[in-house]
Amino acid sequence: MSRLQLNKSSLSREQKKLKTYQQFLPSLDLKRQELLRHRAETQQILAQKKQQIQAILDQTARFIPMLSNDRVDLNDLVTVSDVKLKYENIMGANLPVIKLLELKIRDYSFLAKPHWVDGVSIQLQGLLRLRIQVQVEQRRLALLNIAVKKITQRVNLFDKVLIPTTQKNIKQIKIYLSDAERA
């Protein structure tokens, strides 16, 4: 770190820096608050999706107990055919959003399979859709956590390091200049 010069030009320079820091701090804090709000929303959405998944699993277990029959092959009955994501920029963080989600139900013989397979295929389709949405929301949450951490570090840098240091430097320069003026 360079040594602080004790003259009027450095005093002016430090005062300009202090003014700039104090101008940036409120906008950084607002950005942090907005990111925290989006993070809370994403956590709430994620919790809702997980509850929906659990509700589908409970409903399926209750109304379709025939799933325990392992002679009926349900593997790959519903598959993901296409997922396209787009990214939205929220306060500098590029967050994924599902643009397109296509699921495909494998063709099966209506006569060879039991009648309840139709209901299972619909339940599996809803379950798979929700699980993909949960994965996207978890990715959004991870990215938001990174963005919140970074912006919090910047706010703390300005609030706890740069502004106090600059104020201390201004005070030190003013004391030196007033002592020099008296002498």
Side-chain angles (χ1 to χ4, degrees):
M1 187 169 156
S2 65
R3 191 165 180 268
L4 181 64
Q5 295 180 356
L6 303 172
N7 55 33
K8 288 185 179 183
S9 63
S10 65
L11 176 64
S12 174
R13 217 178 9 246
E14 291 291 320
Q15 287 173 334
K16 285 180 185 175
K17 283 190 339 188
L18 179 63
K19 183 178 177 184
T20 304
Y21 296 157
Q22 288 173 336
Q23 285 176 341
F24 282 123
L25 183 60
S27 63
L28 285 174
D29 195 39
L30 285 173
K31 182 177 178 179
R32 183 179 62 85
Q33 290 173 3
E34 187 68 19
L35 286 171
L36 286 171
R37 185 182 66 79
H38 280 286
R39 184 175 72 176
E41 286 176 3
T42 302
Q43 287 171 335
Q44 186 178 11
I45 290 170
L46 189 59
Q48 288 173 350
K49 299 284 183 197
K50 286 182 178 180
Q51 286 176 346
Q52 289 174 352
I53 287 174
Q54 191 58 46
I56 288 175
L57 290 175
D58 292 344
Q59 181 183 14
T60 304
R62 194 171 42 242
F63 292 118
I64 309 175
M66 292 76 68
L67 278 176
S68 62
N69 183 358
D70 32 340
R71 285 184 278 155
V72 179
D73 182 30
L74 298 177
N75 291 334
D76 298 327
L77 181 63
V78 178
T79 57
V80 178
S81 61
D82 195 14
V83 176
K84 290 185 182 172
L85 299 176
K86 66 178 182 176
Y87 289 88
E88 66 179 354
N89 188 342
I90 296 179
M91 298 286 142
N94 288 326
L95 304 176
V97 177
I98 296 176
K99 181 179 180 182
L100 174 71
L101 176 58
E102 291 182 4
L103 302 176
K104 182 179 178 186
I105 298 177
R106 182 185 71 195
D107 293 332
Y108 60 91
S109 171
F110 294 113
L111 299 175
K113 298 278 185 186
H115 66 88
W116 53 265
V117 173
D118 294 335
V120 168
S121 66
I122 293 170
Q123 295 286 49
L124 286 175
Q125 200 172 12
L127 189 63
L128 190 57
R129 184 175 305 276
L130 282 172
R131 286 198 172 156
I132 291 171
Q133 290 172 352
V134 163
Q135 288 177 351
V136 170
E137 290 300 323
Q138 286 173 334
R139 180 68 184 142
R140 283 177 66 96
L141 187 60
L143 291 171
L144 281 169
N145 283 333
I146 291 168
V148 165
K149 181 179 177 183
K150 190 180 288 187
I151 196 69
T152 302
Q153 288 173 343
R154 286 184 185 161
V155 167
N156 288 340
L157 173 69
F158 275 85
D159 193 34
K160 295 186 168 94
V161 177
L162 294 176
I163 291 176
T165 302
T166 307
Q167 288 172 335
K168 186 184 93 171
N169 289 345
I170 289 172
K171 184 178 177 182
Q172 186 178 1
I173 293 170
K174 283 183 177 180
I175 290 171
Y176 177 80
L177 289 176
S178 66
D179 286 348
E181 191 177 300
R182 275 191 227 116

